[in-house]
Amino acid sequence: MSNLTPQNNPADDPLADLFTSERNAAGEQPVPLSRREARQQREAAEAASTPSEPVAEDAASDPAEPAPTAASSADPTTASSGDSSVSEPAASDTPLSGPTSRAPESDDTDSSASRARTTTIPAFEDLLAEDDTANDSGPQPIHRGRRRALAGGEPPKRRRGRRGLIALIVSIVVVGGLVACAAVVWTSYEPQIRKVLGWEEPNDYEGAGSGEAVVMVNEGDIGEDIATSLHDAGVTKSFDAFYDLLLAQPTQPEFFPGAYKLKLKMSAESALAALTDEANRMEDTFVIPEGTAEQDALPSIAEGTGIPLEELQAAAADVASFGLPAEATSLEGFLFPATYSLPDGGDAHAVLQTLVNRSFQALDDAGVKPEDRWKTIVLASLIQKEAGLRDDYYKVSRVFLNRLDPAQWESGLLQSDATVAYGTGNTHRVSTTDAERADASNPYNTYVHPGMVVRPISNPGDLAIDAALHPADGPWLYFVTWNLDSGETIFSTTQEEHEAAVDKWLSWMDEHPEYQ
C-alpha cells in the first residue's frame, strides 16, 4: 500500500537549498555548502521528484484529492455512458506529484544528497537571492556587516563622515564671522586700539620719498603753517612729524617764500632739508591748493610771481573785468587750484585772468553750461571745504541737496560750520562756537539763514565740481568728519546716529589739542 504521509525529505523543503550540510561518519558538525553546491543538490532533488510516467489529467487538475489506495486498485469500477467510457487508473506504488508527495525510496539514491540534513536561516534568503548571479565562478563574499544585519544581529554602524563635514562647515562659518567682526572693529577703532595696546603707528615716513609735489611757502608763514602745507600736499605723513622736528632743532631754520619742488611721502628730516635748499625753489611758480580761499591765494601768487600783493588785490577788486557770472562779487570760486609756472613780466590782471580762464575750462570740460556756472561753483565750493576722502565728496553733495528738499528737511538749514567760519574771516578752519552759529549778521551763517549759501566759500577743483553734478544716492541728512588727520567721515540719517558720531569726533579732538 502506498504511504502518502509527507516524509522528512530534503526535496520537500523549499528552504533546503539555502544552507545544506552533511554529517560525516564520525558525527562531525555540518559542513556549509557553497551556493553552487546547494543549487546543484536542489536541481537534483527536483529531477528525482518528477514522475517518469504522465499523470492522469483529472488527478493533476485536483492535487488536493487523495490518491487511490491499493485495495481499490484490485477491484476497479467501470462506468459507461453511451459509446464512451472512462476508467479510473490503477493505483501504483509511484505516488502522484503534488505538495504531499515524495520521491520514491531506492537503494540507488543512498548518496550524500539523500543523507543530507537541512539547516535554514530564513533571514539570509533575500541575501542569497540577490547575490545569486549567472556567474558560476564560485561563491561571492558577503560583507560582514550586512551578514550580521540580515541575521538579526547588531546593525552595522554608520560612518560619521557627514557629521564631520557639517562640523567643519559650522567651524568655518563661526571663524569667518569672528574674523569679519574683528575687521569691522579694527577699521572703526584702529587708532584707539593701537593706543591702548601700545601699537602706535609711526607718524613719519622713511626715506627721501618719490613722485613730485609742489609746496608754497608764503610770506609770514610760521612753523605750524608750513607743517600743515606739507601734510596737505602729501609730503609728510602727519602734522606732528614735521612740527615736532622743528621744535627739536637747536636753532630755528629760515624759510624763504616761494614754490618748492619736493617729493611725496618724504620723511620729516628729508622735507626739512629740501625746504632749506635754495636749489629746490622754483622761479615764477606758485601753487593754489584745492579749497584755498581768495584771501589766501593772492599771497601765494605774489610769492611765486614777484608781483606785489597790493597790485594783485587791486586787480582782483575789478570783478566785472574777468567775465564772471553776474552774481559774483569777488573772484572767490573762480581761481582754479593748480600749480602755475608763468613767464616773468606779466601784470597782476593777466596772472589772475589765467586762473579764471582755467576755472572756465574745468567747468566746460565737466559739461556745465555758462548759465549754470554760478550755482555749480557755489555748491562745489561748499563740498570742497566739507568733504575729506575722495568718495565722501559725492555723499556730502547728497546731504546738502537732501537738506534743500522740504520733504526731507523742513527747515532748509544747511547748518555748515564751514560757511559760518568763512563769514567770520577764519578760512583756515571749519569749527565754530555757539556764538558764531547764532550770529544772524553773518550772511554766510547757514545755521540761521535757510537755503544755499549766498556765495562761494572756496576755490574748488575738478573732484568737487564733479560731485556737485553727480551726487551719490542716499537718505543721509548728517555727517561729521571725526578724524581730521585722515578725513574719515560718518554719515547719518537720524539725529541719534549723528549725536553718536559727534561724540566720537569730540573724543578725537580731546586727544589732538593742536586742532583746538
Side-chain angles (χ1 to χ4, degrees):
M1 180 176 67
S2 300
N3 185 6
L4 301 181
T5 302
Q7 302 295 317
N8 185 19
N9 192 332
D12 297 334
D13 189 351
L15 301 177
D17 61 321
L18 296 180
F19 273 92
T20 304
S21 62
E22 295 180 340
R23 290 183 180 271
N24 56 23
E28 297 176 349
Q29 292 298 322
V31 179
L33 301 178
S34 67
R35 291 191 303 276
R36 183 177 182 184
E37 292 171 339
R39 186 172 59 199
Q40 289 174 350
Q41 288 191 6
R42 183 180 69 245
E43 292 174 353
E46 289 176 354
S49 64
T50 303
S52 58
E53 295 180 3
V55 182
E57 183 176 352
D58 291 344
S61 64
D62 188 6
E65 183 179 351
T69 63
S72 62
S73 62
D75 187 14
T77 303
T78 304
S80 302
S81 176
D83 294 337
S84 62
S85 65
V86 177
S87 299
E88 294 183 5
S92 171
D93 289 339
T94 304
L96 296 178
S97 174
T100 59
S101 65
R102 64 180 178 84
E105 297 180 359
S106 173
D107 294 337
D108 297 336
T109 61
D110 188 16
S111 62
S112 61
S114 64
R115 296 194 307 270
R117 177 174 296 180
T118 302
T119 302
T120 305
I121 302 177
F124 279 84
E125 183 176 355
D126 295 338
L127 172 64
L128 294 179
E130 293 175 1
D131 291 339
D132 193 10
T133 62
N135 185 2
D136 292 332
S137 60
Q140 301 296 322
I142 302 173
H143 193 277
R144 180 183 304 169
R146 192 174 181 194
R147 283 205 309 269
R148 184 164 53 243
L150 293 173
E154 182 183 355
K157 296 182 180 180
R158 289 186 178 179
R159 296 182 179 178
R160 296 188 177 182
R162 181 174 297 180
R163 291 186 181 179
L165 178 60
I166 294 175
L168 177 61
I169 293 175
V170 171
S171 300
I172 293 174
V173 171
V174 171
V175 172
L178 293 175
V179 171
C181 292
V184 172
V185 172
W186 179 261
T187 302
S188 302
Y189 302 100
E190 179 183 356
Q192 294 89 332
I193 295 174
R194 286 185 176 276
K195 184 174 182 179
V196 170
L197 298 179
W199 296 349
E200 289 288 347
E201 183 179 0
N203 65 355
D204 196 5
Y205 293 122
E206 295 181 358
S210 61
E212 182 177 318
V214 178
V215 176
M216 285 296 303
V217 176
N218 298 313
E219 184 73 33
D221 278 355
I222 60 177
E224 291 183 0
D225 298 326
I226 297 174
T228 300
S229 297
L230 291 172
H231 179 53
D232 291 344
V235 175
T236 56
K237 191 173 185 178
S238 67
F239 169 91
D240 292 337
F242 189 83
Y243 189 67
D244 291 346
L245 179 63
L246 289 180
L247 297 179
Q249 300 301 308
T251 58
Q252 291 299 311
E254 183 177 4
F255 300 100
F256 296 95
Y260 288 82
K261 187 175 182 179
L262 306 179
K263 295 182 179 180
L264 298 171
K265 297 184 177 181
M266 302 178 70
S267 67
E269 291 186 357
S270 297
L272 178 59
L275 283 177
T276 55
D277 185 353
E278 279 292 320
N280 293 321
R281 188 172 184 272
M282 304 172 69
E283 297 294 334
D284 301 324
T285 301
F286 60 91
V287 179
I288 306 297
E290 295 176 337
T292 303
E294 177 184 340
Q295 69 179 35
D296 301 316
L298 294 180
S300 294
I301 297 172
E303 298 297 341
T305 61
I307 300 174
L309 179 59
E310 296 75 11
E311 294 184 14
L312 290 170
Q313 292 173 335
D318 187 10
V319 178
S321 64
F322 291 95
L324 299 177
E327 298 89 342
T329 59
S330 69
L331 300 184
E332 194 74 85
F334 294 93
L335 299 175
F336 192 78
T339 299
Y340 296 90
S341 295
L342 303 177
D344 189 19
D347 61 16
H349 189 279
V351 171
L352 295 178
Q353 187 67 60
T354 299
L355 275 65
V356 170
N357 292 342
R358 179 65 181 84
S359 178
F360 290 163
Q361 178 186 343
L363 292 169
D364 293 342
D365 292 343
V368 179
K369 297 178 181 179
E371 59 269 25
D372 295 330
R373 286 175 176 173
W374 177 253
K375 65 179 183 180
T376 301
I377 284 294
V378 172
L379 176 57
S381 71
L382 180 57
I383 296 170
Q384 187 72 71
K385 291 296 289 186
E386 289 281 14
L389 303 178
R390 180 180 183 86
D391 291 341
D392 291 343
Y393 278 66
Y394 300 88
K395 292 181 179 180
V396 169
S397 177
R398 173 53 62 191
V399 169
F400 288 129
L401 292 176
N402 284 346
R403 287 198 167 202
L404 292 175
D405 181 4
Q408 300 185 63
W409 192 254
E410 187 176 354
S411 69
L413 295 173
L414 297 184
Q415 297 178 326
S416 168
D417 287 80
T419 62
V420 177
Y422 181 86
T424 64
N426 294 314
T427 58
H428 294 283
R429 63 178 175 87
V430 295
S431 59
T432 58
T433 65
D434 292 340
E436 290 172 339
R437 291 191 295 271
D439 183 8
S441 65
N442 181 353
Y444 292 90
N445 188 349
T446 54
Y447 279 88
V448 176
H449 306 294
M452 181 56 69
V453 63
V454 291
R455 285 180 287 275
I457 62 172
S458 71
N459 291 283
D462 288 322
L463 180 59
I465 292 173
D466 188 66
L469 298 174
H470 307 98
D473 292 330
W476 313 292
L477 294 170
Y478 307 87
F479 68 88
V480 58
T481 301
W482 70 272
N483 188 323
L484 302 186
D485 278 343
S486 65
E488 295 174 82
T489 302
I490 300 174
F491 294 84
S492 308
T493 303
T494 66
Q495 179 69 29
E496 292 75 14
E497 294 173 347
H498 179 61
E499 289 176 354
V502 170
D503 289 341
K504 187 174 183 179
W505 166 64
L506 292 175
S507 297
W508 188 91
M509 290 291 289
D510 290 340
E511 298 175 358
H512 297 80
E514 68 274 13
Y515 284 91
Q516 301 294 335

